[in-house]
Amino acid sequence: MSDQNDLDRHAAKMAKKKAARDKIMATKTDQKGLIIVHTGKGKGKSSAAFGMIFRCIAHRMPSAVVQFIKGGMDCGERDLITEHFSDICQFYTMGEGFTWETQDKARDIEMAKAAWEKAKELIRNPENRMVLLDEINIALRYDYLDVAEVVAFLTTEKPPLTHVVLTGRNAKEEIIEIADLVTEMELVKHPFRSGVKAQQGVEF
């Protein structure tokens, strides 16, 4: 009998939660293009963003990716998209690697600015429902781009239904301020600290 009482109490509790949830959801009727930021020291910022790009691809929603920094690195997502989904997702690799790899600040600034020009072109096109600016936060952190210009563009020129995702650690406060959704990845434990290098399928 007590087991049945537990089940009945659980069912009543879940019904109450569902009713409360349905009431909240009934008030959420607006749609808008979001500014989404993935930042923090933890792993998974770009991976999570690519997950959203693949959702767009699955729904046949035109999308685009601009890589600001990681151009010199292998990227499984880039290979998959360019080989199989280039009809629905444009992919532009603009950066040549992290600044400590290129050791050429002037060249890094030039490439970041070129990437930003391409990003603006893609965002302005309302057919693109999502544009991923991969590692743009790194370019902003090193002042390769003017954060005020990026903020002004996103707040005044982004089409109403276009989502823009900005990834990279140390997102500037100005970017966080205008964002609709911000996720900070927290590093708890990483195999690199135990001498394990980046591995295919996990990091790239």
Side-chain angles (χ1 to χ4, degrees):
M1 188 65 176
S2 61
D3 288 347
Q4 186 59 50
N5 287 341
D6 287 345
L7 292 172
D8 291 343
R9 278 196 299 271
H10 178 76
K13 184 177 179 181
M14 291 302 106
K16 188 175 179 181
K17 280 191 172 185
K18 183 180 185 311
R21 180 73 177 167
D22 289 346
K23 186 176 180 181
I24 292 170
M25 292 304 292
T27 67
K28 312 298 183 187
T29 57
D30 290 343
Q31 278 190 305
K32 66 171 288 191
L34 303 175
I35 297 173
I36 301 167
V37 176
H38 291 172
T39 192
K41 294 181 179 179
K43 178 184 158 17
K45 297 178 286 293
S46 294
S47 299
F50 274 112
M52 288 191 289
I53 286 289
F54 283 118
R55 282 183 186 151
C56 288
I57 290 171
H59 290 298
R60 302 302 296 172
M61 295 165 59
S63 53
V65 178
V66 179
Q67 287 191 306
F68 277 75
I69 301 292
K70 294 178 178 174
M73 302 170 64
D74 287 332
C75 176
E77 296 94 342
R78 178 175 65 226
D79 295 343
L80 184 62
I81 290 170
T82 56
E83 290 174 18
H84 299 284
F85 303 111
S86 59
D87 63 321
I88 197 74
C89 182
Q90 301 176 64
F91 206 116
Y92 296 91
T93 298
M94 310 295 285
E96 297 178 320
F98 289 100
T99 188
W100 55 84
E101 292 169 336
T102 64
Q103 299 178 14
D104 186 341
K105 184 176 181 180
R107 179 68 173 164
D108 288 342
I109 292 172
E110 179 186 343
M111 296 303 290
K113 288 182 175 179
W116 176 235
E117 290 303 313
K118 175 55 70 174
K120 289 191 290 184
E121 174 190 327
L122 294 165
I123 294 168
R124 283 188 181 113
N125 181 354
E127 291 186 7
N128 288 322
R129 295 298 310 281
M130 179 177 285
V131 180
L132 166 56
L133 309 181
D134 191 35
E135 301 289 1
I136 190 174
N137 290 337
I138 302 294
L140 289 167
R141 176 190 179 191
Y142 288 113
D143 296 320
Y144 295 167
L145 298 173
D146 179 2
V147 68
E149 179 189 343
V150 173
V151 167
F153 177 85
L154 292 177
T155 54
T156 62
E157 294 197 48
K158 182 183 76 63
L161 294 179
T162 299
H163 306 299
V164 177
V165 187
L166 303 90
T167 72
R169 60 173 59 194
N170 299 114
K172 290 206 170 187
E173 284 300 319
E174 296 94 328
I175 297 294
I176 292 173
E177 181 67 27
I178 64 165
D180 300 286
L181 173 61
V182 180
T183 300
E184 183 170 4
M185 310 297 188
E186 182 181 355
L187 178 62
V188 176
K189 193 174 185 180
H190 199 292
F192 188 78
R193 292 180 172 177
S194 302
V196 180
K197 66 180 182 179
Q199 298 183 82
Q200 191 173 37
V202 178
E203 274 82 15
F204 60 92

